[in-house]
Amino acid sequence: MKVRKLKIENLEDAKKIVISSNCDEYVYAKLSKKIVSEPFMVEDIDNIAANILKQEALSCGADVAVSKDVSLFKKGTSTVIICANKNQIEKLSLKLKEQPFELKYLSKKIIEINSVQLKEIVCSTKKISLKNKPLVMGIVNLSPDSFFKNGIEDETMACKLAQEMQEYGADIIDVGAESTRPGSKPIAVKEEIKKIKTFLKIFRKESKIPVSVDTYKSEVAEVALDEGADIINDIYALRYSKNMAKIISYHKAGVVLMHMRKKPLTMQQNIKYNNVVSEIFNFLDKQIEFALESGIKKDSVIVDPGIGFGKTVENNSLVIKRLFDFKSLNVPLLVGLSNKSFLAKIIEDDNLNERQTATVIANMVSVLNGADILRVHEVKETKKLLKIIKALGNL
């Protein structure tokens, strides 16, 4: 059973969500009006449990959109939408504690999702406060094969760029030595280690700012953490290297778990999802569980839905629109869409300046939809954006 809270702001979107439960058409309009707020979606719930859930919801003054199979008492599982206000959902969660068929678990998840408040990210000896989120993560590319052609091969110059980003207000520096753009090929482990190690040796003499290393190779991660890195940003979400989770756990480091289908060389081929948001959510939920089982603390975990990694323009757009869904994972949400090609496709203009403008706008939407961390190339411009949003009262 997968549970997540949604954020619905208009009737059109509400109707789409109600329809996804496969309920009878005659309740579309009625239930759509009830969920223009923050309803809960429950996937893979036993149909017997769904029937009990609906009856308990009605007794609290709420309602549940259930599939026709549930109404016909057919065996199996389905997706339901809980339509309730804050008071009703609190009453319902208490009632579900006394029910069978995993409804106790559902009660626990609803209470957890509604009560968790993220305070800080714990990584090694550092604690990164989330009090003034969203945080800004500045990107430093040590690879000349960077997707946006802004890689800096000279580690000393890269350190100067990182220092400049810190002066502009970056909260975290994210450094990588291997490009993971669509179609890119991996580099040798020794070469990656050399670049990362050299950068960290120089930079750590100048700054104590939290440093994230963008790598999926455990050998690179181990050297990076020994040299003072605080977070490992893993595009494979701990699936590539079998020792990665243990190394991160041993160092008490932070980890970014990103969603990606296939690998960089092939991730943009034959893209197909039945439900892109649900599939990403379920993948990240599974990898968080794996991280915790491996000894990594939950307050050290960050998730990234992987904008641009194995996704179409439409997929990326929908994920950004539905970022709030991922808040139910109860860990910080990172969004990295800086200067990516899908933005150029949306505006039908690949001009450098236009793509950067599109990045600023897309980052603004991401923040308003729930992003806790923005991974960007342009730190100065992003910090200005956040000041404007905060000044206008939306954060």
Side-chain angles (χ1 to χ4, degrees):
M1 184 190 298
K2 300 295 181 184
V3 187
R4 66 181 189 270
K5 195 175 187 178
L6 312 179
K7 189 174 184 178
I8 311 298
E9 296 179 341
N10 57 66
L11 281 174
E12 182 180 351
D13 287 344
K15 185 176 180 180
K16 291 177 182 177
I17 294 297
V18 169
I19 291 173
S20 72
S21 71
N22 196 31
C23 62
D24 288 313
E25 293 181 17
Y26 76 91
V27 298
Y28 286 175
K30 173 188 173 184
L31 294 183
S32 295
K33 291 178 181 178
K34 287 189 175 185
I35 69 168
V36 181
S37 57
E38 296 178 2
F40 280 84
M41 173 180 282
V42 185
E43 296 177 304
D44 297 325
I45 184 172
D46 186 278
N47 287 344
I48 297 175
N51 258 313
I52 297 172
L53 172 61
K54 184 171 181 70
Q55 296 308 312
E56 293 289 12
L58 290 171
S59 73
C60 296
D63 207 339
V64 179
V66 299
S67 75
K68 297 170 185 176
D69 287 348
V70 173
S71 301
L72 296 172
F73 299 98
K74 290 186 177 180
K75 292 182 179 180
T77 61
S78 57
T79 295
V80 304
I81 311 299
I82 302 175
C83 315
N85 61 34
K86 184 178 180 180
N87 290 331
Q88 291 167 345
I89 201 69
E90 288 177 356
K91 291 178 182 178
L92 177 59
S93 61
L94 291 175
K95 285 200 168 193
L96 295 179
K97 282 184 177 181
E98 310 301 322
Q99 295 294 345
F101 302 108
E102 291 192 310
L103 290 173
K104 289 181 182 179
Y105 172 79
L106 175 57
S107 171
K108 178 183 175 183
K109 290 300 293 184
I110 289 174
I111 293 171
E112 181 183 300
I113 290 168
N114 272 341
S115 63
V116 170
Q117 292 184 338
L118 303 176
K119 296 180 180 179
E120 60 188 14
I121 304 165
V122 179
C123 46
S124 189
T125 58
K126 296 185 177 69
K127 293 182 179 180
I128 307 172
S129 174
L130 289 164
K131 183 178 180 181
N132 296 313
K133 65 180 183 180
L135 306 180
V136 175
M137 175 185 279
I139 303 169
V140 176
N141 292 314
L142 295 175
S143 168
D145 193 30
S146 166
F147 83 96
F148 202 56
K149 300 180 181 180
N150 66 335
I152 302 174
E153 289 191 80
D154 183 271
E155 290 84 359
T156 302
M157 292 300 295
C159 286
K160 289 183 178 179
L161 172 61
Q163 289 171 343
E164 186 178 80
M165 288 179 170
Q166 183 176 357
E167 291 172 3
Y168 287 143
D171 301 285
I172 305 168
I173 298 297
D174 186 62
V175 59
E178 178 180 294
S179 173
T180 52
R181 65 178 177 79
S184 63
K185 297 179 180 180
I187 65 172
V189 172
K190 288 184 178 179
E191 182 183 353
E192 189 176 348
I193 287 176
K194 181 182 177 181
K195 286 179 173 292
I196 294 295
K197 188 173 183 178
T198 302
F199 173 88
L200 288 170
K201 279 188 175 295
I202 299 171
F203 189 62
R204 271 293 169 245
K205 292 178 182 178
E206 305 294 334
S207 174
K208 294 183 179 180
I209 188 174
V211 173
S212 166
V213 172
D214 185 355
T215 187
Y216 53 88
K217 300 168 187 170
S218 59
E219 305 95 322
V220 179
E222 188 163 27
V223 171
L225 294 172
D226 286 338
E227 292 294 338
D230 306 286
I231 301 168
I232 298 300
N233 186 358
D234 186 352
I235 63 171
Y236 281 89
L238 306 178
R239 293 174 299 145
Y240 184 88
S241 298
K242 63 179 182 180
N243 295 324
M244 181 67 94
K246 292 181 180 178
I247 290 170
I248 293 171
S249 173
Y250 175 79
H251 285 83
K252 296 181 172 60
V255 63
V256 179
L257 304 175
M258 195 194 79
H259 174 272
M260 176 180 67
R261 58 185 294 281
K262 300 181 181 180
K263 54 186 177 180
L265 187 62
T266 59
M267 63 185 177
Q268 291 302 115
Q269 298 173 10
N270 302 316
I271 300 172
K272 185 178 181 181
Y273 296 94
N274 291 322
N275 185 320
V276 66
V277 175
S278 289
E279 289 179 43
I280 294 172
F281 182 94
N282 293 339
F283 169 83
L284 293 174
D285 189 40
K286 179 182 177 182
Q287 292 312 112
I288 291 173
E289 185 177 345
F290 174 72
L292 300 184
E293 290 172 351
S294 301
I296 299 172
K297 302 298 182 182
K298 192 164 186 178
D299 57 8
S300 297
V301 176
I302 301 164
V303 293
D304 177 354
I307 301 297
F309 284 79
K311 298 168 186 71
T312 64
V313 173
E314 292 75 19
N315 293 154
N316 291 321
S317 301
L318 182 59
V319 170
I320 292 170
K321 186 175 182 179
R322 296 275 297 279
L323 284 176
F324 186 84
D325 287 34
F326 301 102
K327 304 294 284 182
S328 294
L329 293 168
N330 289 331
V331 296
L333 174 63
L334 181 151
V335 173
L337 48 75
S338 184
N339 299 322
K340 289 190 175 177
S341 60
F342 86 97
L343 294 172
K345 291 177 182 177
I346 290 175
I347 63 175
E348 299 179 340
D349 190 340
D350 200 22
N351 178 276
L352 173 62
N353 291 330
E354 295 302 321
R355 197 190 289 198
Q356 290 176 334
T357 300
T359 294
V360 171
I361 296 170
N363 275 328
M364 178 181 69
V365 174
S366 298
V367 169
L368 297 177
N369 287 347
D372 298 302
I373 306 170
L374 296 177
R375 183 177 181 271
V376 302
H377 294 92
E378 297 86 10
V379 171
K380 185 178 181 180
E381 289 75 10
T382 304
K383 293 296 288 189
K384 288 180 180 178
L385 163 72
L386 296 178
K387 286 181 179 179
I388 293 172
I389 296 176
K390 288 178 180 179
L392 295 178
N394 286 310
L395 284 180

